Amino acid sequence: MDVKASFEKAYWSLEPHLNDDNLKELSAATLRFVALNYIERKSPKPPKTLLRAIEELKGRDDIVITKPDKGSGVVVLDKTEYLRLLSEASVNDTSKFRAVPLEKPKTRGRPSKYYHPLLQKEKILDSIVRRILPKTIADSVSPTGSRLAHLYGLPKTHKEPLAMRPILSATDTYNFPLAKWLDEKLKPLSLNQYTVTDNFDFTKEIHELKINKGEILVSYDVSSLFTNVPLDETIEILVNRAFSNNWFNTTHNLALTRTDLIDLLNVATKGQLFQFNGALYEQTDGVAMGSPLGPLLANVFMSSIEDTLERQRKLPSYYRRYVDDTLTVMPDLATATTFLHTLNSAHTSVKFTMEVEKNSKLPFLGTELLNHAPRIETKVYVKPTNTGLLLHYQSHVDNRYKRSLLKTMLDRAHRLSSSWAHFSDECDRLKKVFARLKYPERLVNSTINTFLQSRIVGTQPTQTPKEPISIVRVVIPFKDQESANYVKKELKNLSMKVQTTVQPVFVSRKVGQDLKVREIKPQIVNQQRVVYQFQCDLCDAGYVGYTRGHLHTRVDGHKRKASSIYKHYHERHSEVPKDLLKRFSILKKCSNKFDCLVNEMLFIRDLKPTLNVQSDSIRAKAVGFPRPSVEWSRPRHVHSGDTSVAYQEQGCLQFNPVEYNSDGKLSAVEASKAPTRSASGMAGVMMIGKGGSSCARADHGIGIKETNEASFVLENHEEHDFGYDANSGKAPSQSYSLNL
């Protein structure tokens, strides 16, 4: 089902790039053919020992398996210790978090049937955005079914004592669309001349920097910046910038007031709900490390401190910052220490720590800076905790990603190294790393040599024909390399024909997905954006539908008279049951509305529910079609512009691309301009070999036909069934042909 949905979505994404109907039919037929072929291929099964090990680990409720905060690796923690460290880094701080009761508050009037604090948050946000924003924007950012945020922690294994970095994943939460919209509109206001936005650009700048002998490199780090950002103060700073010369309204063609923007920022950042260890919490201050507005507000706050220090002329001659990490060049240690005190007195909400170069070396943003005054050299920094854990060569992953990993690591090493000597050292280290990961030595060496030819010698790789700019991606589960290569070949051929790149993206299920710490959340706020199935408990009637919102809200909609489910109960069983929700089950959780529509269509075609009035919400254009019947026709009959399968002059069968006509059938029409033989009717014919220049029989091969339907005709002769002599009208011996 997932493969069919992926190819169907790919066609819908591809169709706007196709201006010709023939190209649309060709694309649909090709995607359908590739999808069905890929589905039929069997995927190798994982080793039984691996599956047993995963099941045993999933059954362990006393440990947590996660990744470290910095670098790659696997961390196994006692669950009690994990929860303690994460609590200390988050919910134990009552100035930033508070517990939220789940009890329904007492209100006047009729109580709400369904209650959860998240549902109330959705209503409040919806009313605010519809009051402030134009309808089209309000529709796009208003929540239609959201989830609780997810709190998890990444152990800081590179620091002592062990601590935890809290991450509050906000994807698909009630205020996530609004936060994303605001981040896009306000991002230019969060940067200044001291902000580093790209590590490689920063490295280029460092290579050109000249320093005096005796000067030292010093970095400053803010402790827990995100949770310590003073939210109200930072929002005020941001709004002041946005309404300087009415920049926000002029740039984005809006008519908001200062109060409007403050209200939007408040509802987008404050009061994020999340569940932790079975209890519900709300973040009351600071920004969530996981919200789209997190980096923006952190940068706004830090840049305001920098603006103040600049006005006071307290900034050093060289100062650069990436979010909470700052690099400076200082004349001596005493000056560096004085600047640390200056930073810590700049604002009461944040605390800075300092790191001074050791042996003329200082790590910063994954780069090791080497103080060789008057120049600063750079090379790749490898943390002491680095385990070298990367994609193993025997991983169940497309080989393209393994080669891409090699190229990416080489490109990073080249761009971060200030000399060929540093680059060569990193190449030697990478050879050892990839050797431990079982990458073939020949592959590693050839990849390095190719990279050197393109970057060092100056020759560029052979240029392929100009690639189309548009890219349509098909996300499908990886089965095996042979199947992946087949899909890539077919889609590459299609791309060249339609002048739009159709690119397969193969995904593999990671072991870590089965070992995540999971919170059991209330169903009332955990069943949204789904394709669902209704099954009547009194008969065989069924229904398949979708909802972008919460399932319980959609079920209430089915209690209305217009619903097929309501009509079914009143016509067959007299009344709708009060516990109607129990008759519903979730078939598929989806990512967006279009994902819902495609999967709904496929499930309707697969399950054939009796209560669905329409077959689907959108018309299938690729894999949703049933397998077609094949209609053959003689020239100038039932042609309709479709491509064909036809006999040639010497009796050989010619195969051309196959496409659907308007009613979903596949018409195979003779292709030759001056044919002497043709086949017609509901049939399929395969000709093996040919009869020779003087042969008048179409009886060399195998024919699959309906009686008296597959035929051939010679000029000035009557029509004959396949396998019969055109001149004598007699049936040949069975040694000539086989009619099924």
Side-chain angles (χ1 to χ4, degrees):
M1 187 68 73
D2 288 342
V3 174
K4 287 184 178 181
S6 294
F7 278 90
E8 186 67 37
K9 287 184 284 187
Y11 178 80
W12 279 82
S13 299
L14 177 61
E15 189 180 53
H17 302 286
L18 307 176
N19 299 321
D20 184 271
D21 288 342
N22 290 330
L23 289 179
K24 293 179 181 179
E25 293 178 3
L26 171 66
S27 300
T30 302
L31 291 174
R32 182 183 313 112
F33 176 75
V34 174
L36 295 176
N37 185 291
Y38 194 76
I39 291 171
E40 293 297 324
R41 292 173 178 259
K42 293 183 178 180
S43 178
K45 295 182 179 179
K48 291 182 179 180
T49 52
L50 174 63
L51 296 178
R52 282 197 299 268
I54 292 174
E55 288 302 314
E56 289 177 6
L57 289 173
K58 287 170 67 175
R60 294 283 301 270
D61 191 43
D62 59 327
I63 60 172
V64 171
I65 302 174
T66 184
K67 60 182 181 180
D69 179 45
K70 303 290 186 182
S72 58
V74 177
V75 180
V76 181
L77 274 174
D78 179 84
K79 188 173 183 179
T80 303
E81 181 68 3
Y82 170 84
L83 294 175
R84 183 186 70 80
L85 292 172
L86 185 51
S87 297
E88 289 179 355
S90 56
V91 297
N92 285 358
D93 185 352
T94 56
S95 66
K96 302 288 191 299
F97 301 91
R98 74 175 185 91
V100 178
L102 286 170
E103 294 79 14
K104 185 185 298 185
K106 295 181 180 180
T107 57
R108 293 182 179 180
R110 185 177 180 181
S112 175
K113 183 178 180 181
Y114 301 103
Y115 174 78
H116 192 278
L118 177 61
L119 303 180
Q120 302 303 114
K121 295 278 187 182
E122 290 180 351
K123 291 179 181 179
I124 293 171
L125 187 145
D126 183 74
S127 64
I128 290 175
V129 298
R130 295 197 181 282
R131 172 176 59 83
I132 296 174
L133 295 172
K135 185 178 184 304
T136 54
I137 300 176
D139 288 342
S140 66
V141 301
S142 181
T144 54
S146 57
R147 68 172 183 89
L148 290 170
H150 173 60
L151 178 68
Y152 65 97
L154 298 179
K156 297 181 179 181
T157 55
H158 59 290
K159 292 186 177 181
E160 292 184 5
L162 182 65
M164 195 74 66
R165 183 183 298 277
I167 307 292
L168 192 59
S169 174
T171 307
D172 293 334
T173 55
Y174 76 100
N175 54 9
F176 184 83
L178 177 61
K180 195 171 181 180
W181 182 81
L182 288 168
D183 175 64
E184 177 188 337
K185 303 302 180 187
L186 296 168
K187 183 168 287 185
L189 302 178
S190 66
L191 310 176
N192 60 16
Q193 67 269 35
Y194 305 113
T195 308
V196 175
T197 57
D198 182 87
N199 191 20
F200 297 125
D201 290 340
F202 165 75
T203 303
K204 289 180 181 179
E205 179 184 304
I206 286 291
H207 292 165
E208 298 173 358
L209 182 65
K210 298 290 189 288
I211 64 174
N212 298 320
K213 190 172 182 178
E215 290 184 324
I216 59 175
L217 302 175
V218 183
S219 66
Y220 299 89
D221 178 61
V222 184
S223 302
S224 304
L225 172 61
F226 280 69
T227 54
N228 286 309
V229 169
L231 205 49
D232 289 329
E233 179 183 342
T234 304
I235 288 175
E236 185 68 24
I237 294 169
L238 181 57
V239 171
N240 288 339
R241 294 180 183 180
F243 280 90
S244 176
N245 298 321
N246 202 28
W247 176 89
F248 185 79
N249 287 325
T250 303
T251 304
H252 303 298
N253 194 27
L254 294 168
L256 274 62
T257 65
R258 287 176 53 87
T259 304
D260 289 338
L261 186 55
I262 290 174
D263 288 344
L264 291 176
L265 286 166
N266 280 331
V267 76
T269 56
K270 293 182 178 180
Q272 187 64 269
L273 291 173
F274 63 94
Q275 188 171 302
F276 173 63
N277 201 22
L280 188 65
Y281 292 90
E282 179 182 50
Q283 184 169 356
T284 57
D285 199 9
V287 293
M289 193 171 178
S291 167
L293 284 171
L296 181 141
L297 291 172
N299 276 324
V300 168
F301 174 63
M302 291 299 296
S303 63
S304 70
I305 292 177
E306 291 157 358
D307 291 343
T308 301
L309 294 178
E310 183 182 31
R311 287 193 300 269
Q312 297 172 353
R313 298 188 177 183
K314 293 182 179 180
L315 284 180
S317 59
Y318 185 82
Y319 175 99
R320 293 292 181 270
R321 177 185 52 81
Y322 180 80
V323 190
D324 58 351
D325 291 323
T326 301
L327 176 71
T328 65
V329 176
M330 291 293 182
D332 49 50
L333 181 59
T335 306
T337 305
T338 300
F339 186 64
L340 175 63
H341 296 321
T342 300
L343 288 173
N344 281 325
S345 61
H347 201 285
T348 56
S349 294
V350 289
K351 180 177 177 57
F352 290 79
T353 59
M354 180 178 75
E355 183 178 358
V356 182
E357 65 176 54
K358 293 180 181 179
N359 299 321
S360 301
K361 298 177 182 179
L362 181 70
F364 187 74
L365 301 184
T367 306
E368 188 167 46
L369 307 178
L370 309 175
N371 186 350
H372 293 169
R375 295 181 62 249
I376 298 176
E377 295 185 11
T378 62
K379 66 178 184 178
V380 175
Y381 176 63
V382 182
K383 290 182 173 65
T385 56
N386 184 283
T387 60
L389 183 61
L390 297 170
L391 182 66
H392 199 280
Y393 192 74
Q394 295 176 358
S395 297
H396 187 63
V397 174
D398 182 12
N399 284 342
R400 179 178 63 184
Y401 302 141
K402 299 169 187 176
R403 293 191 297 269
S404 296
L405 175 61
L406 270 167
K407 295 175 183 177
T408 300
M409 297 296 285
L410 288 170
D411 180 70
R412 177 173 177 266
H414 180 256
R415 297 173 74 175
L416 295 183
S417 300
S418 58
S419 68
W420 296 121
H422 295 322
F423 175 67
S424 178
D425 291 342
E426 180 62 11
C427 286
D428 291 340
R429 188 189 72 85
L430 290 176
K431 286 181 180 180
K432 295 177 182 179
V433 170
F434 284 105
R436 288 195 296 270
L437 297 170
K438 304 302 181 183
Y439 280 66
E441 183 179 357
R442 183 178 178 181
L443 173 62
V444 175
N445 289 334
S446 65
T447 304
I448 293 175
N449 290 336
T450 302
F451 184 86
L452 290 174
Q453 288 178 0
S454 63
R455 301 298 179 93
I456 302 174
V457 179
T459 58
Q460 294 297 321
T462 303
Q463 295 295 319
T464 56
K466 187 176 181 181
E467 291 287 339
I469 297 176
S470 303
I471 298 178
V472 174
R473 292 180 173 85
V474 188
V475 181
I476 50 180
F478 179 74
K479 289 191 173 184
D480 57 67
Q481 198 58 50
E482 182 181 352
S483 300
N485 291 341
Y486 161 76
V487 172
K488 285 187 278 189
K489 178 182 176 182
E490 293 297 325
L491 295 188
K492 182 178 180 181
N493 291 337
L494 176 63
S495 300
M496 298 306 295
K497 292 175 182 177
V498 301
Q499 288 299 296
T500 300
T501 299
V502 185
Q503 183 182 84
V505 178
F506 296 99
V507 294
S508 300
R509 186 169 181 84
K510 297 180 180 179
V511 175
Q513 293 176 268
D514 295 317
L515 304 177
K516 286 183 177 179
V517 180
R518 301 188 184 278
E519 283 274 349
I520 300 176
K521 297 185 174 67
Q523 285 192 352
I524 191 174
V525 290
N526 199 36
Q527 295 180 327
Q528 63 279 336
R529 207 175 291 121
V530 297
V531 176
Y532 60 84
Q533 180 183 27
F534 161 79
Q535 187 62 53
C536 181
D537 58 331
L538 301 175
C539 64
D540 293 333
Y543 181 89
V544 170
Y546 85 92
T547 179
R548 289 190 298 157
H550 297 287
L551 180 60
H552 69 266
T553 304
R554 185 71 186 97
V555 172
D556 283 347
H558 281 300
K559 296 179 181 179
R560 300 190 182 102
K561 294 182 180 180
S563 168
S564 297
I565 295 175
Y566 175 91
K567 294 177 182 177
H568 167 74
Y569 272 108
H570 275 267
E571 292 172 3
R572 298 286 300 274
H573 310 301
S574 73
E575 64 178 358
V576 179
K578 295 181 179 180
D579 57 347
L580 183 61
L581 183 60
K582 294 182 179 179
R583 276 73 172 175
F584 284 76
S585 60
I586 295 176
L587 296 174
K588 175 79 174 178
K589 279 203 167 188
C590 303
S591 57
N592 51 50
K593 179 181 179 180
F594 184 58
D595 195 23
C596 289
L597 288 169
V598 170
N599 280 282
E600 179 202 45
M601 174 265 295
L602 293 174
F603 275 112
I604 289 175
R605 290 177 177 273
D606 185 48
L607 299 175
K608 298 179 176 58
T610 58
L611 297 182
N612 284 80
V613 176
Q614 57 186 25
S615 61
D616 43 50
S617 299
I618 60 173
R619 186 174 73 86
K621 296 189 176 184
V623 298
F625 275 138
R627 291 182 181 272
S629 56
V630 181
E631 184 178 74
W632 284 39
S633 64
R634 291 194 298 274
R636 297 176 296 279
H637 292 80
V638 200
H639 190 284
S640 303
D642 290 290
T643 52
S644 65
V645 181
Y647 286 108
Q648 292 289 27
E649 183 68 26
Q650 300 301 323
C652 293
L653 199 61
Q654 175 185 340
F655 292 88
N656 289 331
V658 174
E659 301 171 1
Y660 280 99
N661 59 22
S662 58
D663 60 359
K665 291 184 178 180
L666 182 62
S667 295
V669 184
E670 188 171 22
S672 56
K673 294 182 179 179
T676 57
R677 305 177 177 90
S678 68
S680 67
M682 297 298 291
V685 178
M686 177 174 68
M687 195 72 167
I688 303 176
K690 60 181 181 179
S693 60
S694 61
C695 181
R697 291 198 303 260
D699 58 5
H700 302 270
I702 300 174
I704 302 173
K705 72 179 188 68
E706 293 182 7
T707 306
N708 299 322
E709 288 297 330
S711 63
F712 69 95
V713 62
L714 292 177
E715 293 179 357
N716 302 321
H717 286 74
E718 61 180 314
E719 185 174 334
H720 296 273
D721 280 350
F722 175 79
Y724 275 67
D725 192 310
N727 292 324
S728 65
K730 297 178 180 179
S733 65
Q734 292 184 355
S735 62
Y736 279 93
S737 66
L738 174 63
N739 293 334
L740 304 176

